[in-house]
């Protein structure tokens, strides 16, 4: 597909450029949050403040390593099945810089698949004004942290860590790209009853992919047949997307699609680290709608 080739070409350019950036220059801070210099810049952040969303946009919101690449591929598969619409050639996260990106987005026919790792308050106001439907994806924080650690160490666009024990305190303090997982979670939890928001989890999609796809397509008002549903689910398992990631993401594929497992945190966390995260979860999310949806006691206890 031409759009995939353009995307892969774009990613390769970013990768190659990142290899020449000194470690201390790989990240920058904007409005108190850390971002990678390879994919984000101040000009893009200023531009998206006035970004014009459309009511028909399909917007995905996910903290890094909660399943955003997987879910974006599912959304594109739904559009391809129903509208025969090819995925957009440009990188779909709105905060990512890319040549002439916003000019291309202006002329992109609806419905557009868009995504972001930004927290609630940093998403452009037009998405809220237009009541754009947003699919919000979360993953249990322990697996998210482990996946983010490996993402840092396998990705030339981010600085490497010497060990998991070195990464863990930074994750807990929100000193990682796109900030604190728990800040994101607390902010989104306040809006989960909004009609324009649907919450799903990485674990839900792993457990019942067909049911998740059906719920997502219904939320966006897209009718899919039983046959289309089965085909999207068959091609949309994490395993299948990982196997095809070279075609869809180029060399970035092996970085974004690593294990995709639930419970890998047990291979990394010490008992003390597990207890520290349990306490943080209790402080931020115990008794909340998002906390309940994450099934923390099922997925995050020894």
């Amino acid at each position: 597909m031409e759009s995939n080739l353009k995307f892969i070409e774009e990613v390769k350019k970013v990768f190659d450029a990142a290899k020449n950036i000194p470690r201390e220059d790989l990240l920058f801070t904007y409005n108190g949050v850390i971002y990678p210099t390879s994919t984000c810049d101040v000009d893009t952040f200023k531009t998206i403040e006035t970004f014009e969303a459309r009511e028909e946009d399909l917007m995905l919101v996910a903290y890094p390593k909660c399943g955003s690449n997987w879910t974006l591929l599912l959304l594109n598969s739904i559009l391809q099945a129903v509208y025969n619409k090819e995925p957009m050639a440009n990188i779909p996260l709105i905060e990512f810089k890319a040549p002439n990106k916003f000019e291309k987005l202006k002329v992109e026919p609806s419905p557009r698949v868009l995504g972001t790792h930004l927290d609630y308050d940093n998403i452009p106001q037009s998405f809220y004004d237009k009541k754009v439907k947003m699919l919000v994806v979360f993953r249990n924080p322990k697996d998210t942290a482990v996946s983010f650690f490996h993402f840092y160490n396998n990705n030339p666009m981010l600085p490497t860590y010497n060990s998991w024990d070195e990464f863990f305190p930074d994750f807990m303090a929100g000193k990682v790209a796109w900030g604190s997982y728990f800040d994101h979670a607390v902010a989104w939890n306040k809006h989960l009853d909004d009609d324009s928001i649907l919450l799903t989890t990485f674990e839900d999609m792993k457990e019942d992919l067909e049911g998740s796809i059906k719920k997502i397509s219904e939320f966006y008002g897209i009718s899919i047949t039983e046959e289309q549903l089965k085909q999207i689910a068959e091609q949309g398992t994490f395993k299948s997307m990982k196997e095809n990631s070279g075609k869809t993401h180029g060399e970035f594929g092996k970085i974004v699609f690593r294990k995709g497992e639930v419970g890998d945190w047990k291979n990394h966390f010490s008992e003390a680290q597990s207890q520290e995260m349990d306490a943080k979860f209790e402080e931020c999310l115990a008794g909340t709608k998002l906390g309940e949806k994450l099934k923390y006691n099922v997925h995050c206890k020894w």
Side-chain angles (χ1 to χ4, degrees), residues 120-121 186-195 197:
Y120 182 89
D121 293 326
V186 168
W188 279 106
N189 184 67
K190 294 173 186 170
H191 301 279
L192 294 183
D193 290 327
D194 296 1
D195 291 339
I197 288 172

Side-chain angles (χ1 to χ4, degrees), residues 57-280:
D57 287 337
L58 277 60
M59 181 63 160
L60 166 78
V61 184
Y63 184 80
K65 306 317 298 169
C66 286
S68 49
N69 284 282
W70 182 20
T71 315
L72 282 168
L73 284 171
L74 289 175
L75 291 177
N76 279 312
S77 295
I78 292 169
L79 290 190
Q80 207 164 359
V82 176
Y83 300 110
N84 198 26
K85 189 176 191 296
E86 288 289 312
M88 293 187 292
N90 57 283
I91 298 169
L93 296 196
I94 57 171
E95 67 268 29
F96 279 11
K97 60 184 178 182
N100 307 315
K101 172 179 176 167
F102 295 102
E103 289 82 354
K104 290 172 186 172
L105 282 172
K106 273 182 187 173
V107 298
E108 179 72 27
S110 293
R112 301 178 298 187
V113 172
L114 301 171
T116 187
H117 292 320
L118 296 174
D119 64 15
Y120 182 89
D121 293 326
N122 288 323
I123 289 173
Q125 184 60 37
S126 66
F127 282 92
Y128 301 121
D129 293 342
K130 296 276 178 68
K131 295 184 167 52
V132 174
K133 289 188 173 179
M134 299 188 194
L135 174 63
V136 178
V137 183
F138 269 96
R139 183 184 193 180
N140 82 69
K142 290 183 178 177
D143 279 335
T144 301
V146 166
S147 185
F148 214 173
F149 165 65
H150 288 290
F151 188 68
Y152 257 80
N153 278 3
N154 295 331
N155 187 343
M157 296 183 281
L158 293 168
T160 55
Y161 279 84
N162 292 322
S163 67
W164 160 252
D165 288 341
E166 187 185 310
F167 177 81
F168 179 76
D170 277 0
F171 181 85
M172 293 301 292
K175 292 179 181 176
V176 289
W178 283 275
S180 162
Y181 170 98
F182 289 99
D183 286 352
H184 277 247
V186 168
W188 279 106
N189 184 67
K190 294 173 186 170
H191 301 279
L192 294 183
D193 290 327
D194 296 1
D195 291 339
S196 58
I197 288 172
L198 174 69
L199 170 70
T200 193
T201 67
F202 184 95
E203 292 79 11
D204 282 349
M205 293 196 297
K206 286 286 289 185
E207 193 176 314
D208 181 10
L209 187 56
E210 276 193 30
S212 295
I213 293 166
K214 189 174 182 183
K215 193 184 289 185
I216 290 166
S217 58
E218 285 173 354
F219 168 67
Y220 285 119
I222 299 172
S223 298
I224 56 175
T225 65
E226 201 64 33
E227 188 181 342
Q228 287 170 332
L229 173 63
K230 289 194 179 304
Q231 187 177 7
I232 294 165
E234 200 173 296
Q235 295 171 352
T237 63
F238 190 93
K239 182 175 181 289
S240 172
M241 291 200 173
K242 181 178 169 66
E243 285 168 359
N244 290 313
S245 63
K247 295 174 188 171
T248 58
H249 289 70
E251 60 182 302
F252 196 43
K254 59 181 178 286
I255 296 169
V256 293
F257 295 98
R258 194 181 64 89
K259 276 191 174 181
E261 292 177 359
V262 177
D264 190 36
W265 66 269
K266 291 179 182 176
N267 298 317
H268 296 74
F269 273 68
S270 67
E271 191 170 343
Q273 289 167 342
S274 181
Q275 288 171 357
E276 185 179 339
M277 178 122 10
D278 292 350
K280 185 73 172 174

